[in-house]
Amino acid sequence: MFDLPLDLSQTRILVTNDDGIHAQGLKVLEAIARELSDDVWVVAPEMEQSAASHSLTINRPLRLRKLDERRFTVDGTPTDCVLLAVNHVMRDARPTLVLSGVNQGSNIGEDVTYSGTIAAAMEATLLNVPAIAMSQHYEPGQPIDWSAAAAHGADVVRKAVTVAWPKNVLLNVNFPARPAAEVTGIRVVRHGKRKIGDELFERVDPRGKPYIWIGTLRGEADVADDTDIHVVFNGGISVTPVYLDLTHTPTLQTLRQAFV
């Protein structure tokens, strides 16, 4: 188990994201973190790294830039940022909690396999630091209302760290596309499943070369009501524990019989 519960007033918090150092969601998350502790550090990518997943930069050197006493940027992925933060920037006093986000857009269902926001929390978890990923859902074509995350984010963290969870588990939190006052509550639920990546746009660029752009078509219909997808699309905040041991234990014995 992680060293939980936490006394947040004594907690050293690392804040990171995948939308980049200048993202509005990062500002929201910094404000959330400062509601919880005076010891807040920021290490985030220089550029947007959405859908970077848990990628690590190993084929070139990384550039770490110090912007302020506790604020840094890295020309790499969210995973790179957490790795450098924990093992280099903060090596003399490691963070006791990592917050990743607030992502511009939800990370529900299968999104977690692509998300750089989730990946940053994964890396922290692998480095034995408890981590919470946060994402703000929004409707395409509409301005992003960050008020749900801004108003409820600190409370979600406060409640989450009052209990212990295993060292190979991170928490995935999603806020609905509703004003803070209209949020229907917080529910701890499993990940749902929805259709993604079937919308492909085939076009020709100005130089006459063909290209394909992956769209965002997703199906939210017919999802179970005990899933993150249902909760977020119905105005609630979803909290889902994500387990990093990908071994499918029931299949172990079946495969062992095949390889006798």
Side-chain angles (χ1 to χ4, degrees):
M1 292 287 182
F2 284 118
D3 189 15
L4 296 165
L6 288 176
D7 177 359
L8 287 169
S9 66
Q10 303 298 315
T11 296
R12 170 164 287 196
I13 300 177
L14 168 63
V15 171
T16 190
N17 73 346
D18 75 350
D19 288 327
I21 191 70
H22 302 296
Q24 181 60 34
L26 186 67
K27 296 181 176 67
V28 173
L29 188 58
E30 285 185 66
I32 290 170
R34 296 187 196 285
E35 285 187 55
L36 304 169
S37 172
D38 294 328
D39 194 357
V40 176
W41 296 65
V42 178
V43 182
E46 279 191 350
M47 305 292 290
E48 181 181 346
Q49 298 286 325
S50 296
S53 189
H54 198 198
S55 57
L56 187 68
T57 302
I58 59 173
N59 58 358
R60 65 171 178 84
L62 291 167
R63 305 293 181 183
L64 175 72
R65 285 199 303 131
K66 184 175 183 178
L67 305 178
D68 207 338
E69 188 62 31
R70 297 181 182 178
R71 189 176 181 84
F72 298 79
T73 186
V74 178
D75 66 337
T77 68
T79 302
D80 297 329
C81 291
V82 174
L83 183 65
L84 266 61
V86 174
N87 287 340
H88 181 72
V89 176
M90 305 172 71
R91 63 181 179 272
D92 294 332
R94 288 161 53 100
T96 45
L97 178 66
V98 171
L99 301 179
S100 179
V102 174
N103 191 64
Q104 180 175 307
S106 57
N107 278 302
I108 50 182
E110 293 91 340
D111 293 346
V112 298
T113 64
Y114 304 105
S115 168
T117 304
I118 303 294
M122 284 183 177
E123 186 65 15
T125 303
L126 292 173
L127 293 171
N128 293 323
V129 181
I132 302 174
M134 295 185 175
S135 303
Q136 174 64 62
H137 184 63
Y138 69 94
E139 297 297 338
Q142 299 297 319
I144 301 175
D145 183 350
W146 297 96
S147 65
H152 298 284
D155 189 44
V156 170
V157 176
R158 289 189 189 100
K159 291 178 178 178
V161 300
T162 62
V163 295
W165 65 82
K167 285 191 174 183
N168 54 355
V169 170
L170 64 92
L171 301 188
N172 181 27
V173 178
N174 285 273
F175 301 94
R178 292 194 181 186
E182 296 180 13
V183 171
T184 59
I186 304 170
R187 289 188 61 193
V188 179
V189 288
R190 62 187 175 93
H191 282 142
K193 294 189 69 175
R194 60 180 182 169
K195 196 175 181 62
I196 68 171
D198 283 356
E199 190 176 53
L200 301 178
F201 296 92
E202 298 183 58
R203 300 285 188 272
V204 177
D205 71 17
R207 294 181 178 273
K209 296 182 178 180
Y211 67 87
I212 298 175
W213 199 310
I214 298 174
T216 58
L217 181 63
R218 302 174 180 195
E220 274 79 38
D222 301 323
V223 294
D225 61 6
D226 64 339
T227 63
D228 54 356
I229 299 170
H230 178 88
V231 169
V232 170
F233 275 81
N234 285 275
I237 298 169
S238 68
V239 178
T240 304
V242 179
Y243 188 46
L244 296 191
D245 184 350
L246 301 182
T247 304
H248 188 251
T249 305
T251 306
L252 282 174
Q253 188 56 39
T254 302
L255 279 175
R256 284 169 181 160
Q257 292 172 4
F259 287 91
V260 173

